[in-house]
Amino acid sequence: MHHKRKMSSRILTAALIAAMALSVPVAASAAGATQANKQVSSGIKVVLNDVEFQPKSAPFIENGVLYMPLRDTGELLGTIVFWNSTTKVITMTYPDQFVKLNYGSTQATVNGKPVQLTAQLRLVDGRMYVPLRFFSEAIGAGVAWSPSTSKVTITKSNDFVKYEAGSWMNRKTGDLYYAYPYEQPPIYLGKIKLDHPLQGNVSIDTMSVNSGARIITVVDNYGEPHVNYDVYSVLLFNKKIVTQKKASYFQRYDGNVRNYQTLDSKAEKWIEHLLMTDGKILSVYNDQGQLVQEYDLPKLAGQDDVYTIKGIEDDYLLVRPNKTGLLTLIDLNDHSVVVLCDKLLTGQELDYAHNNDVPYRGDDLQYHSESTDGNLIYFTHYSPFDGKHHLLTYHRKSVN
């Protein structure tokens, strides 16, 4: 697979050289660019895969070349475009593509190979503008300009999902890439084991701790009307995949807690822990990516279900079973199991928690905090009846 990617990069570089040979020369005057901006920037539309993109600053055309602000270009294409004001070099980072341009030069490099340009970078009113066609074609996107409608149309594969600055995942293969510092080519991290290509609304985020360990969470919300959630989590340490898990939920998924801290009184420091779950087993890792504890959630809760993790301390867990949706306290001191709405809600609020199923079953209790001695746990509850959030308190019997 890597060989095929390298082959496609060589073909793309050759195509870029041919395309750039047909470019129209650009004047070198920043003042000219400012004037051109005033004359032909209004009404230019930028459309990516049939969706209109709204740049924060207006693009402009100068001598036949369409320019767009640096940051807008990176956002539009899903790339990292970085301007080093000290070296006056712009780099564009994308999986298997690394582009480098020097300000004032008509030569760029694509994956280390020279590409001759006739459209330079433009500095206008203190803002860097780049030739949109070159940067688009550098990552394999197609570009078409319609003079009659003043519209540039870009067609680009949506295989890669950008989940934070300098990180991408291929929605079909699960391949992960990471680039930091931003001026370096992306590093291939490994592959998320997908049961099938991501098929719905995809959200991806990351959570890291001081050691550099991080958890990447990929949520694929699919089905009609988006009632299925496949949640893939990957633990990374030293830029390598340590382990990964998948959990599947129906109708309701409101996120899993992914880390917590405990105080080491002897060392007088906080110890960081990372959390992952497949919905059945909760696995706890230290900040070096080593497994230190596991909890069998169906066994502890006495209910065969899949669970989201809503809170954790040394002596209790807060979980939400998918079928009932009722926030549950598992007290590890006395092994008691408490459905919290039964203790915290009354009347119509309690009846609503147990019986309402629109858009999903369950309550809207959320962990807030705890007292310093762990005796009291505070929760917030959103009432559908008065439309307000309320702070509620639960007293743990297992703590004196």
Side-chain angles (χ1 to χ4, degrees):
M1 182 173 291
H2 283 285
H3 181 64
K4 290 182 180 179
R5 285 199 291 265
K6 290 180 180 178
M7 288 288 289
S8 64
S9 297
R10 287 198 292 269
I11 294 171
L12 179 57
T13 301
L16 280 170
I17 294 173
M20 291 305 104
L22 301 176
S23 296
V24 179
V26 178
S29 166
T34 304
Q35 183 62 31
N37 188 11
K38 294 177 181 178
Q39 292 177 355
V40 283
S41 64
S42 60
I44 294 178
K45 294 182 180 180
V46 180
V47 177
L48 173 66
N49 294 342
D50 298 324
V51 178
E52 185 172 351
F53 177 76
Q54 298 293 336
K56 295 179 178 62
S57 299
F60 66 85
I61 295 175
E62 185 184 52
N63 293 341
V65 176
L66 175 63
Y67 285 89
M68 200 161 77
L70 177 69
R71 292 183 181 275
D72 289 328
T73 302
E75 180 182 344
L76 169 70
L77 300 176
T79 64
I80 296 298
V81 187
F82 186 78
W83 163 245
N84 188 318
S85 58
T86 302
T87 61
K88 298 189 181 304
V89 172
I90 280 182
T91 53
M92 184 178 73
T93 304
Y94 195 69
D96 291 329
Q97 298 295 331
F98 182 67
V99 181
K100 187 175 181 180
L101 297 87
N102 291 295
Y103 181 71
S105 174
T106 58
Q107 182 170 286
T109 60
V110 179
N111 292 341
K113 297 182 179 180
V115 176
Q116 194 64 36
L117 306 177
T118 54
Q120 298 178 0
L121 304 173
R122 312 299 286 128
L123 187 61
V124 181
D125 297 331
R127 182 177 290 112
M128 183 60 66
Y129 284 74
V130 297
L132 180 60
R133 176 180 291 274
F134 169 70
F135 278 85
S136 300
E137 292 180 342
I139 60 169
V143 183
W145 168 250
S146 171
S148 61
T149 59
S150 296
K151 181 172 73 173
V152 58
T153 302
I154 300 173
T155 53
K156 173 181 174 289
S157 166
N158 66 347
D159 287 353
F160 282 103
V161 181
K162 180 181 170 186
Y163 59 91
E164 67 168 1
S167 305
W168 301 263
M169 190 196 75
N170 187 307
R171 68 167 63 231
K172 293 181 178 179
T173 66
D175 289 319
L176 287 174
Y177 293 83
Y178 177 70
Y180 189 83
Y182 303 140
E183 298 132 295
Q184 296 182 1
I187 298 171
Y188 177 68
L189 297 176
K191 187 186 297 287
I192 294 181
K193 298 174 184 177
L194 302 175
D195 290 347
H196 46 73
L198 301 180
Q199 53 192 321
N201 295 331
V202 179
S203 62
I204 307 178
D205 63 64
T206 182
M207 188 280 309
S208 60
V209 295
N210 291 333
S211 66
R214 65 176 55 204
I215 290 179
I216 297 171
T217 302
V218 181
V219 180
D220 185 14
N221 180 208
Y222 63 96
E224 192 59 42
H226 290 92
V227 293
N228 298 298
Y229 296 84
D230 283 346
V231 182
Y232 301 88
S233 55
V234 179
L235 175 60
L236 296 169
F237 186 69
N238 287 337
K239 298 181 180 180
K240 295 181 180 179
I241 294 178
V242 175
T243 189
Q244 53 185 299
K245 295 181 181 295
K246 178 201 172 186
S248 294
Y249 303 95
F250 179 68
Q251 288 191 318
R252 179 170 188 166
Y253 172 71
D254 49 4
N256 285 305
V257 173
R258 289 172 293 172
N259 74 312
Y260 77 107
Q261 294 181 325
T262 57
L263 179 62
D264 185 338
S265 56
K266 293 183 179 179
E268 296 183 346
K269 67 176 182 179
W270 289 94
I271 306 298
E272 293 181 299
H273 303 274
L274 300 161
L275 307 175
M276 297 177 68
T277 185
D278 62 0
K280 301 279 189 177
I281 303 297
L282 170 61
S283 301
V284 181
Y285 300 85
N286 63 20
D287 62 358
Q288 304 298 303
Q290 299 167 328
L291 181 66
V292 294
Q293 180 75 49
E294 285 193 325
Y295 299 97
D296 186 328
L297 300 177
K299 182 178 180 180
L300 289 170
Q303 182 178 343
D304 186 17
D305 204 343
V306 293
Y307 294 81
T308 50
I309 315 303
K310 307 310 299 177
I312 180 172
E313 294 294 342
D314 283 343
D315 58 353
Y316 67 83
L317 305 174
L318 291 168
V319 299
R320 194 184 298 279
N322 194 215
K323 291 177 183 177
T324 67
L326 300 175
L327 189 63
T328 301
L329 170 68
I330 301 174
D331 196 312
L332 301 175
N333 287 335
D334 60 8
H335 304 289
S336 61
V337 178
V338 178
V339 177
L340 289 160
C341 68
D342 292 339
K343 302 296 182 180
L344 299 174
L345 304 180
T346 59
Q348 62 182 354
E349 301 279 6
L350 180 58
D351 181 70
Y352 186 88
H354 275 282
N355 297 309
N356 178 69
D357 59 1
V358 180
Y360 41 67
R361 298 187 64 83
D363 58 54
D364 198 22
L365 288 166
Q366 301 292 335
Y367 172 74
H368 182 273
S369 58
E370 67 168 16
S371 60
T372 54
D373 59 4
N375 185 32
L376 304 175
I377 308 177
Y378 304 102
F379 298 90
T380 59
H381 174 253
Y382 175 78
S383 170
F385 300 102
D386 64 15
K388 297 179 181 180
H389 286 87
H390 303 270
L391 186 65
L392 307 174
T393 305
Y394 177 75
H395 182 275
R396 293 177 62 201
K397 294 181 180 180
S398 68
V399 180
N400 295 327

